[in-house]
């Protein structure tokens, strides 16, 4: 028994070497992914049936209690039997392929064992079929596992040779010969078959881990390329950005050449054939046109199908990239030979095309959001400025009859203010110094309109002069105090403006000694347009929304009434670079 066990283990090693080679076959990965069709069932049944046949030929012939070391047998005599590893292929086929593969491989292996003959041939044939059925049933029980664990496979692998021993004891005559055979081959077959099945499933787990590592690496590489390409793609598909992206893809994908196109022209080319390539050359290849029209990836397997026609380029993958749901251009990956295009390259190219398409869409969305924000700011100005303009024009109209000289002066001041306002509000950011110049021009007109009804005091830290602020923010709060808070005061009105630096933020406050804000409107003002007799609150609401949109909730307006009378508006904003960059830096 010891010699038989060692001999079976030696031959099992040869058998497992073949199975390791088998796990390298790409078609085998479809079985691991449970991609079973009727055609694949036939293929895999035949394949695992062949493994069963090889396991039979790797067996050891037994005759009258003696072990033969012959490696290959064509036919067994009537007094011979075989200790084999045929059930390994059947059980593995059932475990990973399901009942149909188990039955198919069991039938093939069992038919071969009957063909070989021997006094236990029919017992082996029946055991192979039943083992395939039971292994398929067990696979259904463990269907949540992609491949059953080696420990489970070790114990499951024991039942097949034990089943064979039971059938031999029941069906082989005379009983004395059956008992002698089982005593000789039972334990060695149970050990070798179960260990072989456990090792086989271990190989499958190794193959899966390799596949997962490869997929993770390719995914990481695609994400890195997409991230590195994003700064260029944000600027759109141009000759300059296409050249940068083509160079990036050339370095990372190890292709023979890379080309980037829009819908009509080749924008950039890197790698083999670059000297022959002229940026702006029109797209000529039929596959490229088809990719643009259909939006589907195309693969060229011949030199004639690709562009440019370079002698060293024999294959290409053409990947469409989309923007706003339409094909915006192509990524063309060139290879020297068709054999260089593996499934990994095809899947990677397709995933990369999708990622870059998403990046283009995100860049367009970001650009549109920025444009909408700018448009929204301009709309806010358009909503607020007419109030001041109409009131000033009405004042000029009244002064023309009573005091023409003063009307002429107000008109000149209005012109000065409008020129200055047009200059500063054409930018998204202005300095505090420019904001105060705009406010002073505004107050010159207000003093003429309202004479001595109110005064304005301003206390600003000198170091804040170069800090940036959205234009007309302070002016609009002062205008709110003039038009609403102090509208009923005939004299003694006071507007106090404070601009203080606190750490990395500028704290701005505008307060007056007017009538204050009605309590029923205090918690609503700034959060939405508020209807009231003195106005609809659109100005304060717009200021608050603009501050929140640009700086976040920390910059929102804080509105309250003062105990001694009047109201106070306050907010704080972080430091903004004087060149107008949107990158906020806190000192």
């Amino acid at each position: 028994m010891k010699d038989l066990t060692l001999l079976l283990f030696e031959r099992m090693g040869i058998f497992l070497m073949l199975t390791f080679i088998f796990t390298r076959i790409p078609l085998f990965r479809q079985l691991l992914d449970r991609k079973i069709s009727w055609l694949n069932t036939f293929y895999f049944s035949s394949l695992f049936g062949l493994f069963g046949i090889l396991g039979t030929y790797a067996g050891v012939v037994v005759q009258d209690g003696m072990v033969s070391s012959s490696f290959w047998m064509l036919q067994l005599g009537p007094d011979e039997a075989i200790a084999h590893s045929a059930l390994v292929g059947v059980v593995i086929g059932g475990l990973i392929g399901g009942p149909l593969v188990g039955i198919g491989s069991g039938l093939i292996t069992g038919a071969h064992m009957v063909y070989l003959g021997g006094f236990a041939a029919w017992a082996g044939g029946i055991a192979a079929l039943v083992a395939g059925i039971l292994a398929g049933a067990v696979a259904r029980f463990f269907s949540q596992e992609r491949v059953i664990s080696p420990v489970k496979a070790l114990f499951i692998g024991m039942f097949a040779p034990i089943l064979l021993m039971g059938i031999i004891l029941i069906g082989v005559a005379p009983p004395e010969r059956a008992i002698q055979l089982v005593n000789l081959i039972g334990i060695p077959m149970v050990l070798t078959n179960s260990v072989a099945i456990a090792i086989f499933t271990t190989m499958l787990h190794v193959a899966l881990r390799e596949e997962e590592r490869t997929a993770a690496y390719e995914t990481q590489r695609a994400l890195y390329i997409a991230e590195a390409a994003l700064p260029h793609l944000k600027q759109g598909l141009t000759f300059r950005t296409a050249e940068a992206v083509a160079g990036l893809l050339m370095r990372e994908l190890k292709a023979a050449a890379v080309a980037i196109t829009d819908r009509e022209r080749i924008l950039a080319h890197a790698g083999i054939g670059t000297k022959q390539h002229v940026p702006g050359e029109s797209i000529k290849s039929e596959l490229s046109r088809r990719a643009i029209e259909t939006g589907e990836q195309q693969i060229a397997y011949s030199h004639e199908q690709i562009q440019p026609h370079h002698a060293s380029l024999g294959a290409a993958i053409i990947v469409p990239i989309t923007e706003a749901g339409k094909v915006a251009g192509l990524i063309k990956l060139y290879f020297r030979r068709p054999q260089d295009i593996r499934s990994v390259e095809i899947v990677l190219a397709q995933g990369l095309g999708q990622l870059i398409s998403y990046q283009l869409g995100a860049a367009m969305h970001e650009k549109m959001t920025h444009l909408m924000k700018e448009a929204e700011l301009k709309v806010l100005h358009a909503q607020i400025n007419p109030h001041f303009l109409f009131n000033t024009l009405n004042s000029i109209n009244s002064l023309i009859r009573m005091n023409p000289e003063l009307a002429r002066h107000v008109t000149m001041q209005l012109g000065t203010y409008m020129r200055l306002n047009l200059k500063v509000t054409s930018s998204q950011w202005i300095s505090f110094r420019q904001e105060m110049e705009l406010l002073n021009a505004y107050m010159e007109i207000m003093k003429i309109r309202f004479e001595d009804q109110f005064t304005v005091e301003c206390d600003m830290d000198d170091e804040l002069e170069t800090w940036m602020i959205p234009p007309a923010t302070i002016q609009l709060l002062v205008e709110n105090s003039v038009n609403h808070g102090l509208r009923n005061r005939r004299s003694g009105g006071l507007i106090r403006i404070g601009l203080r630096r606190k750490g990395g933020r500028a704290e701005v406050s505008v307060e007056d000694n007017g009538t204050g804000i009605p309590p029923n409107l205090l918690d609503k003002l700034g959060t939405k347009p508020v209807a009231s007799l003195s106005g609809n609150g659109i100005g304060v609401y717009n200021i608050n929304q603009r501050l929140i949109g640009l700086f976040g909730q920390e910059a929102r307006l804080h509105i309250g009434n003062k105990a001694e009378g009047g109201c106070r508006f306050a907010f704080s904003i972080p430091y903004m670079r004087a060149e107008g960059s949107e990158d906020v830096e806190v000192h």
Side-chain angles (χ1 to χ4, degrees):
M1 182 183 300
K2 178 180 178 182
D3 293 338
L4 177 60
T5 303
L6 292 176
L7 191 57
L8 284 175
F9 269 117
E10 289 177 359
R11 298 190 177 184
M12 182 189 70
I14 300 174
F15 175 72
L16 290 175
M17 287 177 59
L18 295 175
T19 60
F20 178 77
I21 296 173
F22 170 63
T23 60
R24 306 294 99 183
I25 300 175
L27 182 64
F28 179 71
R29 303 303 172 92
Q30 297 182 17
L31 186 63
L32 297 181
D33 293 332
R34 311 278 185 181
K35 296 178 181 178
I36 303 297
S37 62
W38 285 107
L39 184 59
N40 283 344
T41 298
F42 172 77
Y43 288 152
F44 294 130
S45 297
S46 303
L47 195 55
F48 284 110
L50 177 61
F51 268 90
I53 294 173
L54 293 176
T56 303
Y57 282 125
V60 178
V61 177
V62 176
Q63 182 179 9
D64 296 329
M66 301 298 294
V67 176
S68 171
S69 60
S70 60
F71 184 76
W72 196 267
M73 73 293 296
L74 297 177
Q75 202 81 32
L76 295 177
D79 56 346
E80 293 179 330
I82 186 170
H84 54 78
S85 302
L87 298 178
V88 174
V90 176
V91 173
I92 291 294
L95 287 178
I96 66 176
L100 294 179
V101 174
I103 293 172
S105 58
L107 284 172
I108 294 173
T109 302
H112 177 260
M113 295 183 69
V114 172
Y115 165 76
L116 282 181
F119 67 88
W122 281 101
I126 295 172
L129 177 60
V130 175
I133 296 172
L134 294 178
V138 171
R140 289 285 182 88
F141 183 76
F142 293 105
S143 59
Q144 73 277 8
E145 299 183 32
R146 193 174 180 186
V147 176
I148 194 170
S149 68
V151 176
K152 294 176 183 177
L154 179 67
F155 289 99
I156 293 172
M158 294 180 180
F159 85 85
I162 292 174
L163 174 67
L164 173 59
M165 299 304 115
I167 294 175
I168 290 175
L169 291 174
I170 294 172
V172 173
E176 294 79 8
R177 178 183 287 182
I179 293 172
Q180 182 187 32
L181 179 62
V182 170
N183 287 337
L184 180 61
I185 71 172
I187 294 178
M189 282 192 63
V190 170
L191 288 175
T192 55
N193 278 257
S194 58
V195 170
I197 292 172
I199 293 175
F200 200 129
T201 54
T202 301
M203 291 180 182
L204 299 183
H205 280 278
V206 171
L208 284 177
R209 283 195 293 270
E210 289 178 353
E211 181 182 355
E212 290 168 356
R213 282 196 296 268
T214 300
Y217 171 74
E218 297 299 338
T219 300
Q220 184 180 12
R221 186 162 61 142
L223 290 173
Y224 168 76
I225 294 172
E227 183 179 3
L230 179 58
H232 307 292
L233 296 175
K234 279 185 175 181
Q235 304 173 39
L237 279 177
T238 64
F239 288 104
R240 185 173 61 83
T241 60
E243 182 179 1
V245 174
L248 172 67
L249 296 178
M250 181 69 189
R251 293 191 304 270
E252 297 297 329
L253 298 181
K254 312 300 182 186
V258 175
I260 307 291
T261 80
D262 58 15
R263 293 183 61 89
E264 300 293 337
R265 305 166 297 171
I266 298 176
L267 301 178
H269 184 94
I272 295 175
T274 301
K275 293 182 179 180
Q276 300 177 0
H277 170 69
V278 178
E281 178 184 353
S282 61
I283 297 174
K284 299 175 182 177
S285 67
E286 181 62 29
L287 283 182
S288 297
R289 289 294 180 189
R290 189 183 307 167
I292 292 173
E293 292 173 1
T294 64
E296 297 177 355
Q297 180 174 284
Q298 305 292 325
I299 301 177
Y301 288 106
S302 67
H303 173 75
E304 291 74 17
Q305 291 179 297
I306 65 177
Q307 179 192 10
H309 298 294
H310 193 278
S312 298
L313 302 178
I317 301 176
I318 303 172
V319 185
I321 49 178
T322 60
E323 186 177 17
K326 297 181 180 180
V327 176
L330 302 173
I331 298 176
K332 305 172 76 173
L333 307 177
Y334 296 101
F335 301 87
R336 294 180 182 273
R337 303 172 303 166
Q339 294 85 347
D340 294 335
I341 300 179
R342 303 169 299 171
S343 58
V344 172
E345 278 74 24
I346 295 175
V347 174
L348 176 62
Q350 185 174 14
L352 189 60
Q354 292 174 349
L355 282 174
I356 290 180
S357 297
Y358 295 151
Q359 297 283 36
L360 283 175
M364 172 177 282
H365 176 74
E366 182 179 344
K367 184 177 181 180
M368 292 301 297
T369 301
H370 179 72
L371 292 175
M372 289 177 65
K373 183 174 289 188
E374 288 187 353
E376 181 181 356
L377 292 178
K378 294 184 183 299
V379 169
L380 297 184
H381 293 150
Q383 288 176 322
I384 298 169
N385 289 337
H387 293 284
F388 166 73
L389 181 61
F390 294 153
N391 290 334
T392 303
L393 291 176
N394 287 333
S395 297
I396 293 173
N397 184 50
S398 300
L399 288 172
I400 287 175
R401 299 176 181 177
M402 298 181 296
N403 192 339
E405 289 297 325
L406 187 58
R408 185 180 300 108
H409 179 68
V410 173
T411 304
M412 293 177 62
Q413 291 296 324
L414 177 62
T416 301
Y417 169 78
M418 293 301 292
R419 284 193 299 271
L420 184 59
N421 182 73
L422 182 62
K423 179 180 178 181
V424 298
T425 57
S426 62
S427 303
Q428 188 176 359
W429 307 100
I430 62 173
S431 65
F432 271 105
R433 179 178 54 79
Q434 292 174 310
E435 174 76 356
M436 297 311 297
E437 289 177 355
L438 179 66
L439 177 61
N440 290 334
Y442 168 78
M443 293 308 302
E444 282 295 318
I445 299 173
M446 292 295 101
K447 289 178 183 178
I448 296 173
R449 281 181 52 199
F450 293 94
E451 297 182 352
D452 297 327
Q453 291 184 18
F454 61 87
T455 58
V456 179
E457 297 178 358
C458 180
D459 184 12
M460 181 177 72
D461 290 346
D462 293 339
E463 57 188 310
L464 291 179
E465 285 191 355
T466 58
W467 285 40
M468 309 302 284
I469 188 173
T473 302
I474 300 176
Q475 179 220 314
L476 295 175
L477 291 176
V478 171
E479 183 178 352
N480 181 77
S481 294
V482 172
N483 293 332
H484 303 294
L486 302 176
R487 64 183 303 170
N488 295 324
R489 292 191 69 114
R490 298 303 175 187
S491 62
L494 175 64
I495 299 174
R496 183 178 288 111
I497 303 170
L499 295 94
R500 296 289 183 182
R501 175 176 177 175
K502 187 173 183 181
R505 302 182 73 87
E507 295 188 344
V508 180
S509 63
V510 176
E511 57 184 66
D512 61 57
N513 60 349
T515 57
I517 301 171
N520 63 318
L521 300 180
L522 192 59
D523 59 340
K524 301 177 183 178
L525 193 63
T527 60
K528 59 182 178 179
V530 177
S532 66
L533 294 176
S534 58
N536 61 2
I538 187 67
V540 175
Y541 169 77
N542 286 337
I543 295 170
N544 193 37
Q545 294 307 306
R546 178 164 53 165
L547 290 171
I548 293 174
L550 293 173
F551 301 106
Q553 286 292 333
E554 292 184 358
R556 68 186 184 278
L557 277 176
H558 296 274
I559 306 171
N561 288 326
K562 300 191 301 181
E564 64 273 20
C567 65
R568 183 176 189 271
F569 295 86
F571 65 91
S572 70
I573 60 175
Y575 174 77
M576 179 70 68
R577 287 204 301 261
E579 60 264 30
S581 168
E582 293 188 17
D583 298 327
V584 176
E585 290 186 357
V586 178
H587 278 200

